[in-house]
């Protein structure tokens, strides 16, 4: 997955452009910057690749989610439906705007189960936030239908699936809003950064203002701009955006390499009895950042995960036991451990997750192993890895 594996001349050239004129900020200093507007250039490239009208870049994927929610007018007491299997950024962004993260089961796609989503809708629900975990997508047709029927927004977290598609459309471009992360371990990286895409002009206008203290971005005198509403600082720097400009041009090459490596491993293990693969919704094309498979029982999966590590097959994750990506270890959320007082709406309305039944999610996650697909593997390394995986899994 990580784009940093293949850093090259173009990344360096882009950063030097910025350092040559010294304008590290994306706004203002027009006369000094020698025509370099890296954040804007990155936004244009992302919007083009994702086939959306608008893109706005920010400081991280978590910021992108937060800004997306804020831009859509989500606030105190609104409920946002999110999956039990995701990165902590999902509920962090929801809580950041004072809204309520409503955890919902996943299915064999390892993403939101549409039936469980329907059951979780209340009069306060405003957004459904599927997370396209580990390279593949949620059942977006079903989720979109639910959103239309219930007048809800669909916000895609495509941070782990950039470059994947669904029915010919880029992931992230299908919902009302879509978010990407360019943190250091993502397929496209700029160190720290993120982006939101949308075709909704009002959301876009809100997004660029909100992420820059409410600046209206009219004219070229920052001090004279007005502030139509309260904002915050989620800006990306020009240095980070410059790296992103180089990396985004390589996205399709990265996905091609990932796909090739993925299929070497998948073809090798697919004949093994008991190994089955995560379901990809009809019309879906993964970005191949992970190979995800199920084993027949939790006990076997734990054993296999350990054995893979022991023979040196690194980068395989057993998310069921992971501190950051599965609800079971989110005790800070479950126990509402916050430095300061939480908004009263959150205190009052956050479901009691210590008593929640997510056995439907456990059923899948307890048996899931996800192996990271790297870009830099040689044929030899890949072949060796495939052999080791087969040996371990056959022995289960
Ligand atoms: C990485 C990630 C994020 C957050 O991105 P950051 O840039 O690290 O803040 C959000 N959601 C998912 C699914 C991610 O993997």
């Amino acid at each position: 997955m990580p784009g940093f594996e293949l850093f090259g001349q173009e990344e360096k050239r882009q950063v030097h452009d910025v350092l040559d004129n010294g304008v590290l900020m994306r706004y203002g200093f027009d006369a000094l910057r020698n025509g370099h507007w890296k954040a804007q250039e990155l936004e244009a490239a992302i919007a083009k690749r994702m086939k959306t009208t608008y893109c706005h870049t920010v400081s991280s994927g978590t910021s992108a989610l937060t800004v997306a929610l804020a831009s859509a007018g989500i606030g105190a007491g609104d409920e946002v439906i999110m999956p039990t299997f995701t990165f902590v950024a999902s509920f962090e962004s929801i809580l950041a705007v004072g809204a309520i993260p409503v955890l919902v089961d996943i299915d064999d796609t390892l993403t939101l189960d549409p039936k469980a989503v329907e059951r979780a809708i209340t009069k306060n629900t405003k957004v459904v936030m599927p997370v396209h975990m580990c390279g593949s997508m949620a059942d977006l047709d079903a989720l979109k239908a639910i959103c239309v029927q219930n007048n809800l927004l669909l916000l895609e977290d495509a941070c782990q699936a950039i470059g994947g598609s669904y029915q010919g459309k880029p992931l992230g471009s299908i919902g009302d809003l879509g978010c990407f992360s360019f943190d250091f371990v993502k397929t496209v990286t700029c160190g720290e950064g993120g982006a939101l895409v949308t075709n909704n002009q009002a959301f876009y206008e809100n997004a660029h203002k909100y992420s820059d203290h409410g600046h209206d971005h009219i004219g070229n005198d920052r001090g004279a701009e007005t502030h139509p509403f309260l904002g915050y600082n989620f800006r990306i720097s020009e240095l980070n955006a410059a790296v992103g400009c180089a990396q985004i041009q390589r996205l399709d090459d990265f996905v091609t390499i990932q796909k090739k490596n993925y299929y070497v491993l998948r073809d090798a293990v697919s004949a093994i009895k008991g190994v089955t693969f995560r379901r990809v919704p009809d019309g879906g094309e993964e970005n191949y950042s992970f190979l995800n498979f199920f084993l027949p029982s939790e006990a076997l999966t734990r054993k296999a995960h350990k054995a893979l590590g022991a023979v040196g097959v690194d980068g395989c994750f057993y998310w069921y036991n992971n501190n950051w990506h599965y609800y079971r270890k989110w005790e800070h959320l479950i126990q509402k451990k916050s430095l300061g007082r939480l908004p009263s709406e959150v205190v009052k309305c956050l479901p009691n997750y210590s008593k929640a039944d997510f056995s439907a999610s456990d059923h899948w996650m307890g048996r899931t192993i996800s192996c990271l697909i790297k870009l830099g593997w040689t044929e030899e390394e890949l072949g060796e890895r495939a052999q080791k995986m087969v040996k371990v899994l056959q022995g289960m």
Side-chain angles (χ1 to χ4, degrees):
M1 173 154 93
F4 73 76
E5 291 180 82
L6 299 182
F7 272 164
Q9 285 308 314
E10 194 49 23
E11 281 81 356
K12 287 183 194 159
R13 189 190 68 76
Q14 286 281 2
V15 172
H16 281 145
D17 275 355
V18 178
L19 292 175
D20 278 347
N21 62 50
V23 181
L24 309 187
M25 185 182 179
R26 69 162 300 172
Y27 297 113
F29 305 94
D30 297 25
L32 292 178
R33 53 198 316 143
N34 212 8
H36 293 308
W37 300 87
K38 298 301 180 186
Q40 285 184 28
E41 186 183 328
L42 178 57
E43 284 159 359
I46 296 169
K48 180 161 177 258
R49 174 60 181 77
M50 299 306 161
K51 302 192 173 90
T52 57
T53 318
Y54 306 104
C55 170
H56 184 64
T57 53
V58 287
S59 53
S60 71
T62 312
S63 318
L65 292 165
T66 306
V67 172
L69 290 166
S71 300
I74 305 306
D78 292 336
E79 293 178 8
V80 179
I81 289 176
M82 58 164 276
T84 52
F85 174 45
T86 178
F87 184 51
V88 290
S90 301
F91 60 77
E92 288 170 352
S93 60
I94 297 166
L95 290 169
V97 298
I100 316 292
V102 175
L103 270 55
V104 163
D105 273 321
I106 54 134
D107 60 18
D108 57 344
T109 64
L110 302 183
T111 67
L112 278 179
D113 172 3
K115 286 193 214 73
V117 168
E118 262 184 319
R119 288 195 294 272
I121 293 171
T122 72
K123 64 177 192 333
N124 296 323
T125 309
K126 295 283 164 60
V127 181
V128 177
M129 188 200 276
V131 184
H132 306 316
M133 284 300 279
C134 300
S136 183
M137 78 276 343
D139 185 343
L140 288 165
D141 253 359
L143 293 177
K144 199 154 194 174
I146 291 168
C147 287
V148 168
Q149 201 173 11
N150 294 279
N151 196 23
L152 308 174
L153 293 172
L154 184 63
L155 193 176
E156 294 177 76
D157 177 341
C159 292
Q160 291 195 11
I162 189 168
S165 65
Y166 180 72
Q167 298 176 355
K169 292 184 187 146
L171 295 178
S173 73
I174 295 152
D176 299 280
L177 290 143
C179 292
F180 302 102
S181 162
F182 308 128
D183 80 21
F184 195 53
V185 296
K186 297 302 202 281
T187 302
V188 164
T189 181
C190 58
E192 300 284 1
L196 66 86
V197 292
T198 184
N199 293 317
N200 183 310
Q201 188 180 1
F203 292 170
Y204 166 72
E205 293 294 337
N206 288 343
H208 70 75
K209 292 170 190 160
Y210 181 76
S211 56
D212 182 27
H213 305 291
H215 271 274
D216 65 14
H217 297 144
I218 295 171
N220 58 3
D221 177 357
R222 275 180 71 75
E225 290 180 21
T226 68
H227 25 66
F229 46 75
L230 293 168
Y232 209 80
N233 180 359
F234 290 112
R235 290 189 308 255
I236 192 168
S237 89
E238 285 286 277
L239 285 171
N240 295 92
V243 178
C245 287
Q247 286 259 302
I248 193 75
Q249 300 303 337
R250 307 175 72 187
L251 172 60
D252 293 314
D253 290 343
F254 290 171
V255 172
T256 302
I257 298 169
Q258 282 178 177
K259 184 171 183 174
K260 182 183 114 294
N261 292 352
Y262 169 107
Y263 271 108
V264 170
L265 300 183
R266 178 166 173 143
D267 290 345
V269 302
S270 61
I272 298 169
K273 210 171 140 269
V275 173
T276 53
F277 298 95
R278 158 228 210 130
R279 178 167 63 86
V280 177
D282 281 345
E285 170 93 12
E286 300 180 59
N287 88 338
Y288 306 99
S289 52
F290 286 87
L291 175 66
N292 306 276
F293 56 92
F294 305 120
L295 292 177
S297 72
E298 185 188 323
L300 273 179
T301 312
R302 283 179 189 272
K303 205 170 131 203
H305 177 247
K306 234 186 189 157
L308 285 168
V311 298
V313 179
D314 58 355
C316 289
F317 297 89
Y318 184 54
W319 303 115
Y320 192 58
N321 258 353
N322 179 287
N323 282 349
W324 295 93
H325 294 79
Y326 197 48
Y327 82 92
R328 293 200 320 151
K329 298 277 179 81
W330 295 340
E331 81 284 344
H332 54 333
L333 171 69
I334 295 167
Q335 294 163 20
K336 305 181 199 179
K337 281 191 199 165
S338 169
L339 286 176
R341 273 202 299 152
L342 288 164
S344 60
E345 287 87 351
V346 173
V347 172
K348 202 170 77 198
C349 303
L350 191 73
N352 182 356
Y353 289 124
S354 66
K355 296 222 167 73
D357 173 12
F358 293 123
S359 50
S361 301
D362 294 342
H363 171 78
W364 296 109
M365 293 312 298
R367 301 189 293 118
T368 300
I369 292 177
S370 298
C371 294
L372 182 69
I373 303 295
K374 288 208 176 163
L375 295 166
W377 286 330
T378 63
E379 297 276 318
E380 202 183 350
E381 284 168 336
L382 192 55
E384 215 173 279
R385 174 170 287 260
Q387 266 181 6
K388 282 182 179 169
M389 283 178 70
V390 168
K391 201 163 167 211
V392 165
L393 296 173
Q394 256 171 355
M396 286 296 127

